[in-house]
Structures are given as structure tokens and as C-alpha cells.
Amino acid sequence: MMANREPAVDRAFLKELTRVVGPDRVLTKLESRYAYGLDATYHQAAPDVVVRVRKADEVSRVLRLCHREGVPVTPRGAGTSFSGGPIPLAGGVSLALQGMNRVLEFSPGDSLAVVEPGVVTGDLQRLVEAEGWYYPPDPQSADFCTIGGNIAENASGPHGVKYGSTRDYLLGLEVVLPDGEVITVGGRTIKNVTGFDLTRLFCSSEGMLGVVTKATVKLIPRPESKVVLLAFFKDWAQGGRAVADIFAAGILPTTLEIMDDVSIRTVEEYGHFGLRLDAGAMLLIEVDGFIETMDRQGRAVSAICEKAGAMEVRVAHDPARQAELWKARKVLSPATSRLAPTRVSEDVTVPRSRLPELVVRLKEVGKEVGLPIIVFGHAGDGNLHPGILTDERDPDKWARAERAVELCFKHTIELGGTLSGEHGVGFMKSPFLPLEYGERAIRLMKDLKGAVDPKGILNPGKMFPDPRNPLRAGGPAAGAAVGQPGPAGGERHGP
Amino acid sequence: MDPEELERRLIDCTRCGTCLKDCPVYHETLDEQYTARARVNLAKAVYYHGRFELGEGLRDIAEACLLCRACLEACPNKVDGPVFARLLRERVVERFGETAMRRAAFRGVLPEPGRVGWAAVAVRAAQRTGLDRFVGAIVTGSLATGSLAAGALGALPRLPARPLTRIHRPGSVLPPADRDGTDGPASNHRPKARLAYFHGCLNDRVFPQTGLAVIDVLRRNGYEVVVPPQNCCGLPASAGGDLAAARGMAQANVEALGRAVADWLITDCASCGSALREYGDLLGTDEARAISAKARDINEFLVTEGFDREGLGEVALTVTYHDPCHLKRYQDIPAQPQALLAAIPGLVFKEMRDAAVCCGAAGSFVLTHPDLAGRIGARKAANALATGADAVATACPSCRMQLERVTVRAGRGLPAPHPVELLARSYAAGDACRRERTPVDPARACQARTKASAG
Ligand SMILES: Cc1cc2nc3c(=O)[nH]c(=O)nc-3n(C[C@H](O)[C@H](O)[C@H](O)COP(=O)(O)OP(=O)(O)OC[C@H]3O[C@@H](n4cnc5c(N)ncnc54)[C@H](O)[C@@H]3O)c2cc1C
Ligand code: SF4
Ligand code: SF4
């Protein structure tokens, strides 16, 4: 398969690219291209050439060129994807958008901002928060991922329970289609029902339908105050009951994070936060609103947790103490990544009421394949992050991890859930798409893709089961799995 | 690094991209090839899997790193980005050889204090006679066995007439001084400790005033100070990927400093300090480990051991401070220099934005990437100037050169003295005050105003 792939570009093509962006922003050396072949998964495949664009016009001209020559193009933000999205499976061009990072407009009057796709999410958030506004989508990678990547993956984070995901804040987009044509969809108004909702179609299209070159995003007033609680429970059943009761009481928290016993213990060893080691589950709850309501909401949530059987509830009103309580959740990822050489992280999601059941099943999967699985995630929206502990260098353990992933997906779908709540399909989950969608629905998606991108040049090999997928075509590609320079990167020196 | 250690460290990287967050080079270039993530994974391909054929493109990637450790500080898995930049540099040197300039510097000039001296004399001559950079480079090139390149000349400030080692010859032993800094009865007292002073190349040749201040402050505080013979600490070579040259210089220093038999080894150069503290690992001998264990930064030493505060007089200056990477992140000394400044009566301290972000000098980075170094420096300059301070203190001569240069370029040149120079100035102000017998309010420090100029 990829091993014998010929470079998708030739000298004449490179010359034309150079004419569009100048020689400094066309990278052809293998060592340079290599960095653009990876993301936060354990795979990589170097592109044949990297083009670092600065303007929508450049994007358009590059795409027109690629369209004419049939050269694959993979858009790239900060490369923090967990689904392999920005990895150029078919080689060709890696279209690097980080350089398009201007905030073009901030309009409190219309409560919106207009940004280029390379703007770092956290930078936008800080900019508007300083003025009393709030851009809520909060992937944990906000300090280094880009808005463009967030749109393409429809990213969200802990505050999703109350504030939803990226798509809920998109008013309009400027998109370059695979043939280089530039269109605008949506607009600057909160309400807009004219035509098909193409804005949402491009949102979570994983860079397969068009390249976002400008986004108009909705802002909301920054909440005045918040209260943070940490509650410890004997087990998940109790924790799950507290979660259900909080909603039943008419409280909509911004955050409802849950951690299992192993996570609690690991985080405690890592940071000494004074967590209860005898707890089987821990909830981190945040509620926001007007200052006057904080006390009341804090007490109400606290009482609900206690009624559900909490062994201890800690409440924080002042920001420093709140940050401390949050810390235990924030260090979870680095802390648990020490448990094993490799942690395979999933983001399966079920209806909230099925969460305790999913946890039981996930733990059983762990036993079945003989690998520890830690469980934590966003209990408020049913989005869990099971972490399968394995070793990328050990083929047997790796195979068992892949088996565990399959089982996780199976159980999730059985419980009425979805394969991915946040991270997207890419090629990490594409082999499993038929688990969740019927044949006709998949065909519709493919028809859509074909209508927009008849030559299939934009981010090929993703979303649908595909022979180019290093995961499933001819069994697990051991080379890719252990992070070797994929054949696309390692054995040739490019054009 | 042994292979097992290397493998463990390589696998620590989960490719999350957090290291993009604070990398000054990435911020300027927005180009992913110049990030810790890129280098770690290139190193992984090169070393661990051994299937990666290297091209010349590696040199650029390996060198476009400040070794500032901002990535390490950000990394949730504590992956040491600069270690991998250095590793790749070693590999580049192994495979493609050193650039002529570096070979001359690491092998020809730096290991020999005499030749560093000659190079300095030549630079000074070129500066004085107003020869332009190009001619200057030729002059220094011929005088100093084909050494410093044109860029180096442009990067250097005007050199002083007398380097520190002309004022205090190598081997000098200076007894404790009286409170006013003179050789009074105190010189016969038993010193609190015997300290060997490591001045390094820059504070000898370029900023001898720092060395004089350090010696003055230590002597006033009851210490005996030895100025042992010494050569370059080796950091430029190890940072450049020439470990053999770095080891040579380290070994020579270990021997010379060992002979000085001091209680502590004090340095006022953040870069030298971090190099000295790595000798143990670099050479792996007991002697080297002993030197590393004794090496202490002057700021940390004074704050930890305490210093005379009563003798301090007023220095009416507004001062901000820039954290050298080699002090804050390499030696974990994040607050001591500021504490010294805070102790000075009359001095107003104003923290600048992003005080701990690298200034962009990063040793030879300023020579290999003048444009990037300039852009990173310009941000630093803007932040320093925004405080309205009269001076931007810093504890590393290499940062100092950069700060003084970039603030000039930004329109208002700020001096960048070492905190201990300001401390020495404060003692001098105290002396002047006492000489004038100004009545001293016992509750407060001496109020005599010295005419404060920031220089
Ligand atoms: C430590 C860590 C924590 C994370 N936490 C979360 C989390 O809490 N929630 C969450 O949702 N995700 C999370 N992620 C995943 C990831 O950060 C998000 O998917 C993010 O949206 C990716 O943004 P990016 O800029 O890195 O895009 P990339 O990874 O570069 O690209 C992602 C996809 O978007 C496409 N793309 C990028 N820019 C454009 C554009 N302008 N137009 C069209 N397509 C484009 C690419 O082709 C690719 O398919 C996390 C990742 C890490 C490493
Ligand atoms: S070096 Fe650290 S921060 Fe950077 S990608 Fe690797 S693990 Fe993440
Ligand atoms: S050491 Fe500094 S310049 Fe080098 S990669 Fe890390 S953050 Fe960037």
C-alpha cells in the first residue's frame, strides 16, 4: 500500500506552488515535512510538500492547482487531533493554516468575532474575556489548538454540558472548496434559516469538504461568578445518581466531570491534592451565574450529592481555591500517561442515563483483554474518556488494545451512544463507522463528499472505511502503530 | 545519554502539541518543524527506529532552537525538548561536520583563555578604529586563528579597555573587606568562607564591572574570594553539539577549579552556572561531580546565606528584571535576583510582562538566526520599555548584550546591569552617606541620595 506510493507531486507542480506563496513557505525537505505528518495519535505519514499559507487567496490558488493536477491536500491546524485528521495519508500537500492567525473583528454590538482559522482558541478566549465576553467551546487543548481545527472537529470540552460545542457558536464561514472556489455560508445574525444549513455541514466535516478561511463566531456575556465542588462517592452508582439528581433539581452545571478510583489514586500520587483515596468515584462540579445565586446553588448541589451518598463534598467560592479543585482534573492526562508506556484514549459517548452501565462494561472489557482501563470524562454529557493502558512497542499488547477499542465501540453503540463525542472520526474510527450508521446513511455522506469534491483530493482516506487506512487495511500496520516514520515519510526523499 | 534512557525519554512524548504553546521560535515562525514535538519525533525516527536517512535539512531544524526550556516547562510529560535539539546537533556535527566558524570557536579559541584574549583585543581594535563589520571580521579572523565571524562582531558591544583578569590576575586571593569595601581590619578576620569566583568569558572581557561588583559585595560580606585560572565553561560547545570540545573545556576547568580548594564556587553568569552544574553528568567523574555540587549562582548564594542590609544606601532607580533561561529554568532560581533588587532602598521594582520568556540571544542563536533573534528580542524590548523602567536587570551577560542591543533598536536603550552591580552601587551609596555623616534614622536605611544614573 503506502510503502510503494509514488510522490504525488513533481517539480513543475512545486514550482507553481512556489509562485503562489514564495519559496520560503514551500517545504520540501524530508526533515521539514516530517513534523507535518503527525498529530496526537500514534501515527504519521509525511506529506510530499508543506505549503504554509497566509491568506484565503493563497488557499484558493493552491487548491485550484491541486484540483487541476489531482494532488491530495490535507488541511492542518495545530496538529492536535486525536483522530488522525491532519495526517496526510495519501501524501500530497499538507496545507498549514497556523499562519492565518488574525482576529479580524471583535464586535460587542453584534456579540460576535470574525477570525482566521489559525487563531489559537485560547487566545480568542482571553481577548474577549478581557472585554467581558465569553467564547465557550473549551477543548482541553485550547491553549495550542486552532479555531479552524475546532470547527473541522466540532470540538468541545468540560463546559459542553451547559454551553454546547463549537457548532453552537458558528454564525458564518468563508470556505474554499476543493476546486479553489471561495464561498461564504451563514452570516452575522443569530437567526438565519435561509437555505440548507451549510455552516453546520462544514462544521465537523474534518477538512474533507472545504478549507475554512474565515469564521464568524458568536460570543455571549461572560458569566459573572461560579462555584466549584468536589464530591467523593463510594462507587459509580452513587456518583451517577448525584448526576441525575442535579439535573432533576433544575440545575444546569457548566461542568460535571467524573473520575474513577484508579484516576483518583494516580492523580493524588502525581500532585498530592488531598483527594480521598477510599473513594470509588469523584465528581467535579461547576455552576455559574450571578454572584447572589452562588451560595444557594452551592448548597443545593452539595445537599444533592450528600443525599446520593457522598462521603465528602468540598465547596470553593474563591478563585484560588477553585483553581486548586480543578487542578486534580487538569493533571489527569499527564498523570495517567505515566501508568503505562502508551495510553490509548477514546471518547465514546452515551445518553447520560446509561453512563453507569457503560462504566461497568468498560471495566469488563479491561478484564477480558487483560489490559487495565481507566475511566474518566464528562459525566454531564455522557462523554467518557476510557484510557486503555498498553505499550506501543509490544505487538501483543498493542493487538489487545485494538481489540479493547473495538469492544468499547460495540458496547457504546449497544447503549444507544456514539463512537465519538469530541475527537472526530479521522481514520482512527473510520473502520467502525458502519457500527453506528446504516449503509444508506453512509452512502449519503459519500454522495455529499462526491458532490463537493468529485476528484476526492481533500483529506483522502478519512471518515469512511478505506484501504489507505493504516489501521485496518491488511491488519494493524505495526510500523505505523509504533510511530515509525511511516513509509510515506521514511524511505524516500521526496520529489 | 544511554540507549535505555533515550528510549524511555522518547516514548514519554505523546505528541500532544502542548509544547507549541510557549515556544518563542514557534510564535515567531508558526512553522511546526521548529518545535520540540518535531525534534523529539525526528530524534525518535533517527535514533530509536534507526530507519531515517538524514539530510542536510536537519541542521536548520536542530539549530533553530533557543534551548530555552519553555517547552519543557509546558510539557505535561516533562519531555526535555532542548535535550533533543542538542542530540540532533550532535548528530549533525557527526554526520556533516561543524561549520568552519564553530570549529574555530570551539576548538581554536574558546579552550584557550589567551586566545579569547587575543580575539577580544582584535575586536576592540576593530571597534575603536571604526572598521566596519566586514573588515573587522577579516582582522579578527587572521589574528585569532580564523575565528569569530562577522556576525559576532556586530553582536558585541564596545569592549572595555581592561578586562577583569587584568585587574584581578588569575590566582588572586582577596581577603574579606571592611563594611566600606576597603582593606581594613576585616581583612585579618577569619573569612566566613573561601569562595572561588568563576567569571566566565563574557564577564571577564565584556562586562568586568559585574565581576568587580561581585568581588566587592562578597568581600564586604566577610568572604575571601579567589579568582582561579579558568577557561570557557564549555556551554557554547555542548549547546552546539560538539560534546568532545565541551568535555575538554570542562575537564580543564575541573582541574583548575579543584586546585583552588574553595568552600563554594560562585558565578555571576547564568549560562556558566548551568554548565558548571552539569559537569558531573558531562564527565561522570567524582572530581567533576564535586565541582558541580559546589557551583552556586551569586544571587542564590547571597539570598540563601544572607547579606548585610544595614550598609545599603539609596539607589533611586526604577528597575525591571529579565529571567535568564539558564537561571530560572536550568537552575531553578526564579526569585532570588528579584529579592536582591527588592532589598535595595529607593529602588522601585516593576515586573515586566513575560519576564521569563527567552530574550532570543541564546548563545550562538543570535549569530545563526539574526533575524529571528531580533524579532524575539523586539518583543522583549517592548515589554521592558512598557514598564517605564530605567534599567532592565538580568543575571546573564549573554542576555545583557541582547537586551541592551534590542532596546536601543526599539528606540530607548536600557542598560541591563547584573542585580549584584546594583547591590554594589547601593553599598557605595551607603558609604557616601556615612562619610557625609548624615544623621541616619535607625529604622531606615541611609537616605543620602547618590545621583542615580542607570548605566
Ligand atoms: C491534550 C489534548 C487535549 C484535547 N482535548 C480535547 C477536548 O477536550 N475536546 C475536544 O473536542 N478535542 C480535544 N482534543 C483534540 C483536538 O485538540 C481537537 O480536535 C482540535 O479541534 C484540533 O485542532 P487543531 O488546530 O489541532 O487541528 P488539527 O489537528 O490540525 O486538524 C484537525 C482536523 O481539522 C482539519 N482542519 C484544520 N484546520 C482546518 C480548516 N481551516 N479548514 C478545514 N479543515 C481544517 C484537519 O484537516 C483535520 O482533519 C485534545 C487534544 C489534545 C492533544
Ligand atoms: S514534547 Fe511534551 S508537550 Fe510536546 S508533544 Fe511531546 S509530550 Fe506533548
Ligand atoms: S527550547 Fe525553547 S526554542 Fe527550543 S523548542 Fe523548546 S521552547 Fe522552543
Side-chain angles (χ1 to χ4, degrees):
Chain A
M1 27 172 239
M2 288 197 304
N4 301 321
R5 188 177 63 73
E6 284 299 309
V9 302
D10 58 20
R11 262 173 217 290
F13 180 81
L14 290 177
K15 226 169 160 181
E16 289 198 79
L17 284 178
T18 308
R19 236 176 270 137
V20 178
V21 297
D24 289 350
R25 291 192 274 124
V26 176
L27 313 179
T28 54
K29 291 198 183 99
L30 172 61
E31 296 81 5
S32 305
R33 292 182 278 125
Y34 194 72
Y36 290 82
L38 45 89
D39 65 1
T41 63
Y42 288 86
H43 299 269
Q44 66 212 63
D48 295 311
V49 56
V50 178
V51 184
R52 300 174 50 231
V53 286
R54 284 280 164 82
K55 305 190 292 238
D57 173 58
E58 292 174 354
V59 174
S60 164
R61 288 165 68 194
V62 169
L63 281 181
R64 201 171 311 145
L65 209 59
C66 293
H67 183 73
R68 195 189 72 202
E69 300 295 323
V71 172
V73 184
T74 304
R76 182 180 181 85
T80 67
S81 167
F82 274 140
S83 54
I87 296 181
L89 282 188
V93 174
S94 170
L95 190 70
L97 294 146
Q98 292 128 306
M100 291 181 67
N101 67 343
R102 290 174 306 165
V103 175
L104 301 170
E105 186 187 342
F106 164 46
S107 165
D110 290 336
S111 49
L112 59 79
V114 183
V115 297
E116 290 187 328
V119 168
V120 170
T121 312
D123 288 348
L124 175 67
Q125 286 170 331
R126 277 182 288 274
L127 187 132
V128 302
E129 274 170 43
E131 306 292 326
W133 291 84
Y134 185 36
Y135 176 70
D138 62 333
Q140 312 255 296
S141 48
D143 278 338
F144 43 99
C145 68
T146 69
I147 297 270
N150 292 171
I151 295 170
E153 303 284 8
N154 189 12
S156 59
H159 290 118
V161 194
K162 178 167 181 176
Y163 292 109
S165 53
T166 303
R167 70 163 166 240
D168 300 312
Y169 297 87
L170 279 187
L171 298 178
L173 294 174
E174 177 185 271
V175 180
V176 181
L177 296 177
D179 60 3
E181 297 253 17
V182 186
I183 59 167
T184 56
V185 297
R188 290 171 65 91
T189 54
I190 304 278
K191 293 181 178 178
N192 181 336
V193 295
T194 315
F196 290 150
D197 192 348
L198 295 180
T199 312
R200 286 208 168 186
L201 177 65
F202 285 107
C203 182
S204 75
S205 67
E206 304 197 1
M208 294 173 67
L209 296 181
V211 179
V212 174
T213 48
K214 205 195 278 182
T216 306
V217 299
K218 181 170 81 176
L219 307 174
I220 60 173
R222 194 185 61 199
E224 188 179 82
S225 189
K226 61 188 182 192
V227 54
V228 177
L229 298 95
L230 207 56
F232 299 92
F233 299 92
K234 188 170 76 309
D235 53 33
W236 276 72
Q238 285 187 353
R241 213 181 108 209
V243 171
D245 291 351
I246 289 171
F247 286 98
I251 297 169
L252 182 55
T254 69
T255 306
L256 247 178
E257 297 288 299
I258 195 156
M259 280 163 59
D260 71 353
D261 49 349
V262 184
S263 315
I264 298 172
R265 226 177 306 124
T266 312
V267 162
E268 183 56 28
E269 270 163 30
Y270 181 87
H272 307 289
F273 304 101
L275 306 181
R276 292 278 300 247
L277 294 176
D278 51 348
M282 183 181 99
L283 280 181
L284 175 81
I285 309 157
E286 184 188 282
V287 186
D288 67 0
F290 289 120
I291 288 179
E292 294 77 7
T293 66
M294 287 302 105
D295 217 31
R296 183 175 153 206
Q297 301 210 60
R299 267 183 286 120
V301 174
S302 195
I304 291 169
C305 290
E306 272 158 18
K307 217 175 123 222
M311 49 176 76
E312 188 186 337
V313 184
R314 298 175 191 167
V315 188
H317 286 283
D318 87 285
R321 179 91 185 100
Q322 289 177 350
E324 247 171 70
L325 296 191
W326 259 103
K327 196 104 200 248
R329 171 65 182 86
K330 293 217 160 142
V331 302
L332 211 151
S333 190
T336 51
S337 74
R338 309 186 155 194
L339 289 175
T342 314
R343 190 189 73 210
V344 176
S345 210
E346 285 305 335
D347 76 320
V348 292
T349 307
V350 291
R352 200 163 52 225
S353 61
R354 312 299 295 271
L355 207 71
E357 219 176 322
L358 178 63
V359 174
V360 173
R361 293 201 191 187
L362 289 175
K363 295 277 173 188
E364 272 163 17
V365 168
K367 275 189 213 124
E368 190 180 328
V369 301
L371 291 175
I373 298 187
I374 50 166
V375 181
F376 58 93
H378 318 303
D381 46 32
N383 183 190
L384 281 191
H385 292 304
I388 302 153
L389 305 181
T390 179
D391 186 340
E392 57 181 293
R393 299 161 299 183
D394 177 336
D396 172 52
K397 280 193 177 169
W398 191 254
R400 280 189 277 153
E402 295 202 317
R403 172 88 186 117
V405 169
E406 267 182 63
L407 290 171
C408 280
F409 290 156
K410 186 178 101 11
H411 290 298
T412 303
I413 298 295
E414 276 174 19
L415 293 171
T418 177
L419 302 178
S420 177
E422 298 177 337
H423 300 161
V425 177
F427 63 78
M428 296 297 281
K429 298 190 184 84
S430 58
F432 305 100
L433 196 72
L435 276 181
E436 187 168 337
Y437 282 98
E439 184 272 330
R440 185 66 187 93
I442 292 180
R443 191 142 50 83
L444 175 61
M445 289 192 217
K446 285 186 169 171
D447 288 346
L448 276 170
K449 164 79 176 165
V452 183
D453 182 14
K455 291 194 175 178
I457 60 162
L458 208 54
N459 208 354
K462 313 285 169 68
M463 190 80 82
F464 310 112
D466 190 294
R468 281 166 295 203
N469 190 333
L471 276 181
R472 298 286 138 172
V482 295
Q484 289 182 355
E491 288 172 354
R492 286 174 307 103
H493 272 272
Chain B
M1 219 185 304
D2 67 79
E4 260 174 49
E5 164 83 357
L6 179 63
E7 176 171 324
R8 198 182 53 68
R9 290 218 207 175
L10 284 170
I11 210 161
D12 278 345
C13 173
T14 58
R15 308 174 180 204
C16 62
T18 313
C19 49
L20 275 59
K21 185 163 76 92
D22 295 324
C23 173
V25 173
Y26 178 69
H27 279 192
E28 285 304 329
T29 59
L30 296 170
D31 188 346
E32 262 208 62
Q33 56 177 322
Y34 306 127
T35 60
R37 178 167 67 173
R39 292 192 191 91
V40 174
N41 286 288
L42 266 180
K44 193 169 179 173
V46 171
Y47 286 86
Y48 174 23
H49 299 299
R51 294 198 333 180
F52 202 75
E53 263 236 44
L54 283 168
E56 260 283 354
L58 194 63
R59 186 190 292 278
D60 175 44
I61 293 176
E63 287 186 351
C65 173
L66 301 159
L67 308 180
C68 73
R69 278 197 177 171
C71 49
L72 168 62
E73 200 167 51
C75 175
N77 303 312
K78 295 288 151 257
V79 174
D80 193 339
V83 159
F84 294 98
R86 275 157 63 165
L87 213 67
L88 293 179
R89 287 175 192 184
E90 279 166 42
R91 184 65 176 225
V92 169
V93 169
E94 244 170 58
R95 207 178 128 105
F96 303 108
E98 232 151 16
T99 57
M101 177 188 110
R102 291 204 166 163
R103 188 163 46 246
F106 299 157
R107 311 247 168 187
V109 180
L110 290 178
E112 301 280 340
R115 292 193 193 151
V116 175
W118 273 110
V121 167
V123 169
R124 201 171 118 75
Q127 285 177 338
R128 258 208 323 234
T129 51
L131 294 174
D132 68 12
R133 284 170 56 169
F134 178 69
V135 180
I138 297 175
V139 172
T140 47
S142 56
L143 283 179
T145 48
S147 76
L148 300 163
L153 200 56
L156 281 172
R158 276 194 179 271
L159 296 189
R162 289 180 79 202
L164 184 77
T165 43
R166 279 290 141 71
I167 303 165
H168 296 299
R169 295 276 173 183
S172 304
V173 181
L174 302 144
D178 282 2
R179 175 182 263 184
D180 64 0
T182 56
D183 293 324
S187 52
N188 299 320
H189 292 173
R190 208 180 125 80
K192 275 201 244 168
R194 182 178 156 98
L195 307 177
Y197 167 49
F198 192 89
H199 45 67
C201 303
L202 290 177
N203 281 341
D204 175 19
R205 298 284 158 177
V206 187
F207 302 112
Q209 62 268 44
T210 307
L212 293 175
V214 166
I215 293 170
D216 175 51
V217 167
L218 288 174
R219 292 183 63 209
R220 281 172 189 262
N221 278 284
Y223 297 103
E224 179 181 61
V225 182
V226 198
V227 184
Q230 54 193 262
N231 57 256
C232 169
C233 66
L235 185 71
S238 68
D242 190 344
L243 276 192
R247 286 202 184 97
M249 291 186 243
Q251 184 54 35
N253 275 331
V254 167
E255 287 164 19
L257 298 172
R259 279 193 293 273
V261 269
D263 298 310
W264 296 108
L265 174 59
I266 303 293
T267 183
D268 50 10
C269 169
S271 303
C272 296
S274 70
L276 293 170
R277 288 170 72 163
E278 278 186 14
Y279 279 2
D281 290 340
L282 185 67
L283 297 175
T285 62
D286 287 344
E287 293 76 15
R289 275 189 285 271
I291 293 296
S292 289
K294 280 188 179 178
R296 288 175 76 176
D297 174 74
I298 181 74
N299 299 283
E300 177 275 320
F301 180 81
L302 288 173
V303 171
T304 313
E305 306 294 333
F307 57 97
D308 168 35
R309 289 169 189 258
E310 279 165 22
L312 295 171
E314 181 162 326
V315 178
L317 280 178
T318 302
V319 179
T320 186
Y321 175 74
H322 159 74
D323 286 286
C325 305
H326 279 113
L327 203 61
K328 180 167 192 273
R329 286 182 290 272
Y330 278 79
Q331 300 189 60
D332 194 19
I333 299 178
Q336 292 86 332
Q338 297 92 315
L340 288 187
L341 295 173
I344 298 175
L347 186 145
V348 178
F349 181 72
K350 280 217 173 141
E351 193 172 318
M352 72 165 125
R353 200 178 150 198
D354 293 340
V357 172
C358 179
C359 64
S364 63
F365 184 88
V366 72
L367 304 180
T368 53
H369 298 76
D371 173 56
L372 260 178
R375 276 150 63 194
I376 295 168
R379 286 191 196 226
K380 192 90 234 177
N383 288 332
L385 289 170
T387 61
D390 308 305
V392 46
T394 194
C396 177
S398 168
C399 301
R400 177 183 201 161
M401 288 199 288
Q402 169 83 338
L403 293 168
E404 294 186 344
R405 188 171 46 226
V406 294
T407 52
V408 166
R409 242 184 258 156
R412 190 161 71 87
L414 294 182
H418 191 288
V420 171
E421 284 171 50
L422 295 169
L423 198 66
R425 189 114 64 93
S426 178
Y427 280 131
D431 297 343
C433 166
R434 276 181 295 275
R435 271 198 304 276
E436 287 164 20
R437 299 181 159 273
T438 319
V440 178
D441 176 351
R444 295 169 66 194
C446 188
Q447 291 298 302
R449 278 191 181 267
T450 46
K451 262 189 74 108
S453 82

